[in-house]
Amino acid sequence: MFKYKALTVLAGVTAATPAFAEEVDIWVRTSTAPILEAMAESYNASHEDQISIVPVVAEQMVPKLGAALAGGAAPSAVAMDLIYMPTFAAAGMLEDMTDFIDSLPYSDALSPSHVRLATYEGKKYGVPLTPDASVIVYNTDLLDAAGVDPSALESLESLAEAAVSISELDDETYGFMFVGNSGSWMAYDFLPHIWAGGDDILSEDGRSQTVDTPSMRATLQLYNDMWEAGAIHPTTRSGNGNSAVEAFASGQVGILMSGSYIVNLMTANYPDVNFGIAPIPGPTGGTATFAGGDDVVMIEGISDEKRALVEDFIEYYMQPEQQVTITELAGMPSRTDLAEEAYADFDERNLIAYDMLQSGFTPYTYANDALFISLTGPWLELLETAIFDGDVDGAIEMAEGRFEQILERTNP
């Protein structure tokens, strides 16, 4: 229990004022809010000190938080998309949580990629809340109809052949789909192909580009081959995540690039669809995943009382009982040592993504939005030019130059 107690001494008589419960506001993007609200509700019911959850639209989180920090009105803590951790840590906006994190008895069981993104110059600034991992989801009925064995998804080369076979079933069926006009979706689902091939798009410290690799060239060419063959759903180029799920659930798509959340979403909303989950392959084999999700961070300068409350709340939601609830709501626990407890009553297909998370990747970058998210940024231009226009060489040459310009401007 963390209370603020004020003692006054007056005329030789000591008198204690009433104790006041502490309260902490935690900002969270709306997609994660239901999970953190559930944790806060159960925590508040058994504690005098209180956690208040403030949902923020995901696209507005970074500019709103930046404005709040500049105006001296920032919250005490934030459940932050881990991709932004290096930027805020390098700017000196986050509280050092190294001693607290290292003291946790399960510190070795925290998602490695979440810890890596939360680390800047040897200090740790965040604790995992809601991990997720990118995966492939496939329609088993369509694969059966096309004579495709799920083992064909073990390399992108054989996956592309399977996609063409599925698309030949009839004019309304397509073999492959992804969210092609979203930089964040394509980082989440496309980059694992590159990592699985043993390459990367950025150096390990995020300060230089490594766009032109054999894996990048092969992956772009295979995607273009599927597009030219008519094996990719036509709304891939302009649709969003919801339309992609709807197309898959309606039986129009055989193989969809997706994330670990898809198991719970499909079983809850489309129970009649028969589907399987597979890791994302490299061009000729290997597997990798994008480790996404949120870290809980504290804003630099937080008071000792509020800091103690945030740490107590983190330890609360890290306990096995709360980890089961997080798995039920999000599909994956925050800790990697609780598979038996977390998945005892849930769909075992979740375990495929769970196993991948432990070796997941996430780009370490100080320029995520400029590189990967912006609609006019080099990432989307690279994919659009190579996949849909068929100019792989020109797309890579352009991306190398634009990546370098942005990195020179944004590296701390």
Side-chain angles (χ1 to χ4, degrees):
M1 187 68 63
F2 304 97
K3 302 175 181 177
Y4 174 76
K5 295 182 177 180
L7 300 179
T8 60
V9 179
L10 180 64
V13 177
T14 300
T17 62
F20 295 97
E22 191 61 76
E23 181 171 337
V24 160
D25 290 339
I26 302 179
W27 286 12
V28 57
R29 49 180 173 165
T30 49
S31 57
T32 309
I35 300 162
L36 204 56
E37 287 170 341
M39 292 296 101
E41 182 178 355
S42 61
Y43 179 89
N44 292 343
S46 56
H47 294 71
E48 185 174 348
D49 298 321
Q50 299 289 287
I51 299 294
S52 177
I53 305 303
V54 181
V56 178
V57 175
E59 292 77 10
Q60 298 175 4
M61 175 63 86
V62 171
K64 186 172 182 177
L65 181 58
L69 286 163
S76 299
V78 178
M80 179 177 289
D81 185 340
L82 80 163
I83 197 72
Y84 295 110
M85 293 293 299
T87 301
F88 280 89
M93 296 176 176
L94 305 182
E95 192 77 7
D96 180 7
M97 299 176 69
T98 306
D99 292 342
F100 169 69
I101 294 170
D102 289 346
S103 73
L104 296 173
Y106 42 82
S107 61
D108 291 339
L110 302 178
S111 164
S113 198
H114 283 70
V115 174
R116 174 176 171 258
L117 270 287
T119 301
Y120 177 72
E121 294 188 340
K123 296 180 180 178
K124 300 171 184 173
Y125 293 91
V127 180
L129 170 65
T130 52
D132 61 66
S134 50
V135 294
I136 287 172
V137 57
Y138 58 91
N139 184 311
T140 55
D141 292 335
L142 288 180
L143 262 64
D144 286 344
V148 173
D149 189 280
S151 64
L153 309 184
E154 293 177 358
S155 79
L156 187 58
E157 287 180 347
S158 54
L159 182 154
E161 294 174 359
V164 172
S165 297
I166 294 168
S167 69
E168 291 174 345
L169 289 173
D170 59 60
D171 292 341
E172 303 298 324
T173 302
Y174 298 88
F176 194 53
M177 190 170 191
F178 50 93
V179 186
N181 70 338
S182 165
S184 58
W185 269 109
M186 290 305 287
Y188 187 62
D189 281 335
F190 187 94
L191 285 177
H193 295 305
I194 312 306
W195 297 324
D199 294 318
D200 206 338
I201 194 169
L202 294 172
S203 60
E204 186 172 354
D205 64 3
R207 295 174 183 271
S208 58
Q209 61 83 20
T210 56
V211 174
D212 190 0
T213 62
S215 298
M216 178 65 78
R217 287 185 173 275
T219 300
L220 289 171
Q221 189 59 61
L222 287 165
Y223 268 60
N224 174 250
D225 291 345
M226 287 190 279
W227 178 253
E228 294 294 334
I232 296 177
H233 193 284
T235 64
T236 291
R237 195 171 188 174
S238 58
N240 55 37
N242 290 334
S243 61
V245 171
E246 290 170 2
F248 178 79
S250 68
Q252 298 177 39
V253 174
I255 303 164
L256 174 67
M257 303 300 293
S258 186
S260 49
Y261 68 90
I262 195 70
V263 176
N264 287 359
L265 189 153
M266 292 298 298
T267 53
N269 298 303
Y270 307 99
D272 296 331
V273 177
N274 297 316
F275 69 94
I277 299 295
I280 296 176
T284 59
T287 59
T289 190
F290 188 114
D294 293 348
D295 275 335
V296 170
V297 304
M298 290 186 277
I299 300 302
E300 196 278 333
I302 187 174
S303 69
D304 290 343
E305 292 81 5
K306 290 182 183 295
R307 179 190 181 101
L309 174 51
V310 174
E311 291 176 349
D312 194 54
F313 179 60
I314 290 171
E315 291 197 70
Y316 174 80
Y317 78 65
M318 282 293 187
Q319 297 309 304
E321 180 179 352
Q322 280 65 249
Q323 290 293 295
V324 171
T325 301
I326 288 176
T327 304
E328 181 179 9
L329 295 172
M332 191 173 292
S334 314
R335 290 170 53 178
T336 60
D337 61 338
L338 294 174
E340 185 173 347
E341 293 94 330
Y343 290 113
D345 297 323
F346 301 124
D347 196 311
E348 290 188 355
R349 286 172 289 193
N350 284 301
L351 285 169
I352 294 172
Y354 175 84
D355 290 340
M356 294 298 299
L357 179 70
Q358 299 180 55
S359 57
F361 296 80
T362 314
Y364 193 102
T365 174
Y366 307 99
N368 180 65
D369 285 6
L371 291 175
F372 296 106
I373 307 303
S374 172
L375 292 175
T376 58
W379 175 235
L380 279 177
E381 185 175 1
L382 164 71
L383 299 170
E384 175 75 17
T385 304
I387 297 172
F388 301 116
D389 296 341
D391 183 4
V392 173
D393 290 338
I396 289 177
E397 182 178 357
M398 173 282 304
E400 284 185 296
R402 293 196 62 194
F403 266 64
E404 288 175 1
Q405 291 174 354
I406 291 171
L407 292 171
E408 288 175 1
R409 187 178 73 243
T410 57
N411 279 339

